[in-house]
Amino acid sequence: MKALEGVRILDMTHVQSGPTCTQLLAWFGADVVKVERPGKGDATRGQLQDIPDVDSLYFTMLNHNKRSITLNTKKDSGKAIFTELIKSCDVLAENFAPGALDRMGFSWERIQEINPRIIYASVKGFGPGPYEDCKVYENVAQCTGGGASTTGFPDGPPVVAGAQIGDSGTGLHLALGIVTALFQREKSGRGQRVECAMQDGVLNLCRVKLRDQQRLAHGPLKEYPQYPNGTFGVATPRAGNASGGGQPGWIVKCKGWESDPDAYIYIIAQAAAFDGLARVIGHEDWLEDPEWNTPAARLPKIDQMFAEIERWTQTKTKFDVMDTLNPLNVPCGPVLSIKELSEEPSLRATGTVVEVEHPTRGSYLSVGNPIKLSDSPVEVKRSPLLGEHTDDILQEVLGMDEAAIAAAKADGAV
């Protein structure tokens, strides 16, 4: 039995933030019914296509384990079918622009009338406030949520992260909200609204930067590269590759960096492991030198310390460095390219990277479920073709017979 078996999700989401959420729920066994526009479907089916006339990887990698129904909710008959779907589902998830479902005639109050037990889950760009009606995408969320202002080097502009913390990050938050609301419904018997703003989600992931904003009022942030020779302003600054965890860390070059853009490794000069690190890089002398043998003494010379570490790492590959430092309990990690990750056998073995067969585009790689449950194993199934399950859903979920389905098609409702 799957963890969410018996839960049905009416999936009105599109693009990335919402589909991230509903895909996660589908992996755990929920029956996710993806509602799409007849003839068009989710916009990402046709975006960034690498193979002509087939669903893009953008779509397939965010919509595994779902069923697709096409539905025209502008038609009265389509609205009637949508109403019946609301009655038959546990959760309605959407990430439309603010007010879109209300304009369709399905306000939260109306949805509650139709199904008092339903969980109505939404992703929005902003919560209530001056920006709540603004449209938001990934990089906008990173910029308005504190991610960009705290990412990059001190002498450079704000930088957005490669990880999709705005879209996919908020989708993960929404999934937690949904399962929490479902759990509460077991006690209350009632549904409720679940709302996640992308700005809020990014700020949650920038929690340590809000920590540092408050610390800044009491003196310089000594683990930041601006200390001791630079200056601090009124806001949490960008810190390059500093670790941010109270222990000095930096990305240093490894052998082959001249031609390999990812021949780097991150090393944390943790106080507890500094003895082994100093010895292996040829600076045993630091251990007896009061200018180097305490964290406080090293703090003003972090740049010099990492320059010496880098002289050593440039003589070894990033994997050789790992092999040397790990037994010494020195925290470190190679900069792995997406190509390296996609080919990593251990990630294939755990289902974190999976190969999926698709009827029109052939096989492709995707990221599998990052959350592993011992009693709810995940089988990643391909994304649905547009409207592939329309008849099945109308029959199985709504109990419509062949004549009623034919009438709905003739009217353009599905």
Side-chain angles (χ1 to χ4, degrees), residues 144-208:
T144 59
S149 69
T150 56
T151 303
F153 287 89
D155 57 352
V159 176
V160 295
Q164 304 291 281
I165 64 173
D167 274 322
S168 288
T170 306
L172 297 175
H173 284 95
L174 189 68
L176 175 59
I178 288 171
V179 295
T180 303
L182 286 170
F183 184 77
Q184 185 174 2
R185 191 182 72 175
E186 292 298 303
K187 302 174 184 178
S188 71
R190 300 189 308 274
Q192 61 180 297
R193 287 293 312 260
V194 177
E195 295 182 293
C196 287
M198 293 172 70
Q199 181 186 46
D200 298 358
V202 172
L203 181 57
N204 183 44
L205 299 176
C206 292
R207 181 175 298 267
V208 298

Side-chain angles (χ1 to χ4, degrees), residues 25 33 35 48 56 79 82 85 122 139 148 154 163 168 181 216 255 275 285 291 298 300 309 317 354 365 368 378:
L25 301 175
V33 176
V35 178
L48 304 176
S56 72
K79 281 186 170 68
F82 187 58
L85 285 169
S122 304
N139 290 349
S168 288
L216 193 57
K255 187 176 182 179
D275 185 295
D285 56 297
E291 291 293 314
R298 293 191 291 272
I309 292 172
T317 70
V354 293
L365 290 183
V378 172

Side-chain angles (χ1 to χ4, degrees), residues 226-247:
Q226 289 87 342
Y227 180 83
N229 301 314
T231 58
F232 288 88
V234 298
T236 305
R238 293 183 278 282
N241 290 317
S243 70
Q247 301 284 350

Side-chain angles (χ1 to χ4, degrees), residues 276-290:
L277 178 61
R279 293 178 190 277
V280 81
I281 68 170
H283 271 290
E284 190 173 347
D285 56 297
W286 285 353
L287 302 178
E288 303 298 328
D289 186 345

Side-chain angles (χ1 to χ4, degrees), residues 126-388:
F126 297 95
Y131 308 119
E132 62 184 300
D133 294 327
C134 297
K135 185 179 287 188
V136 174
Y137 290 97
E138 170 66 43
N139 290 349
V140 175
Q142 290 195 35
C143 289
T144 59
S149 69
T150 56
T151 303
F153 287 89
D155 57 352
V159 176
V160 295
Q164 304 291 281
I165 64 173
D167 274 322
S168 288
T170 306
L172 297 175
H173 284 95
L174 189 68
L176 175 59
I178 288 171
V179 295
T180 303
L182 286 170
F183 184 77
Q184 185 174 2
R185 191 182 72 175
E186 292 298 303
K187 302 174 184 178
S188 71
R190 300 189 308 274
Q192 61 180 297
R193 287 293 312 260
V194 177
E195 295 182 293
C196 287
M198 293 172 70
Q199 181 186 46
D200 298 358
V202 172
L203 181 57
N204 183 44
L205 299 176
C206 292
R207 181 175 298 267
V208 298
K209 300 303 181 179
L210 182 57
R211 172 203 69 191
D212 292 348
Q213 179 65 47
Q214 295 169 90
R215 292 173 56 223
L216 193 57
H218 301 284
L221 306 175
K222 294 183 179 180
E223 76 278 15
Y224 277 60
Q226 289 87 342
Y227 180 83
N229 301 314
T231 58
F232 288 88
V234 298
T236 305
R238 293 183 278 282
N241 290 317
S243 70
Q247 301 284 350
W250 205 253
I251 290 179
V252 292
K253 299 171 183 174
C254 294
K255 187 176 182 179
W257 68 271
E258 299 91 345
S259 57
D260 180 355
D262 298 307
Y264 292 82
I265 192 167
Y266 198 95
I267 294 177
I268 297 177
Q270 190 177 37
F274 186 75
D275 185 295
L277 178 61
R279 293 178 190 277
V280 81
I281 68 170
H283 271 290
E284 190 173 347
D285 56 297
W286 285 353
L287 302 178
E288 303 298 328
D289 186 345
E291 291 293 314
W292 287 97
N293 62 5
T294 65
R298 293 191 291 272
L299 199 56
K301 300 187 285 291
I302 285 179
D303 288 351
Q304 185 180 345
M305 177 182 69
F306 278 108
E308 291 300 303
I309 292 172
E310 189 172 68
R311 286 180 59 189
W312 174 74
T313 59
Q314 286 186 82
T315 67
K316 300 178 179 297
T317 70
K318 58 190 179 185
F319 300 109
D320 290 337
V321 175
M322 277 281 288
D323 290 342
T324 302
L325 295 186
N326 270 334
L328 302 176
N329 291 319
V330 176
C332 60
V335 173
L336 296 178
S337 69
I338 297 299
K339 182 177 186 297
E340 288 169 320
L341 289 166
S342 69
E343 296 170 351
E344 172 54 46
S346 65
L347 297 179
R348 300 288 188 99
T350 60
T352 299
V353 175
V354 293
E355 188 168 345
V356 182
E357 289 292 333
H358 191 276
T360 60
R361 66 168 299 120
S363 64
Y364 64 92
L365 290 183
S366 185
V367 180
N369 193 344
I371 304 169
K372 320 297 186 188
L373 299 187
S374 62
D375 284 352
S376 186
V378 172
E379 178 189 358
V380 176
K381 299 178 182 178
R382 67 168 177 85
S383 59
L385 302 175
L386 179 60
E388 180 178 353

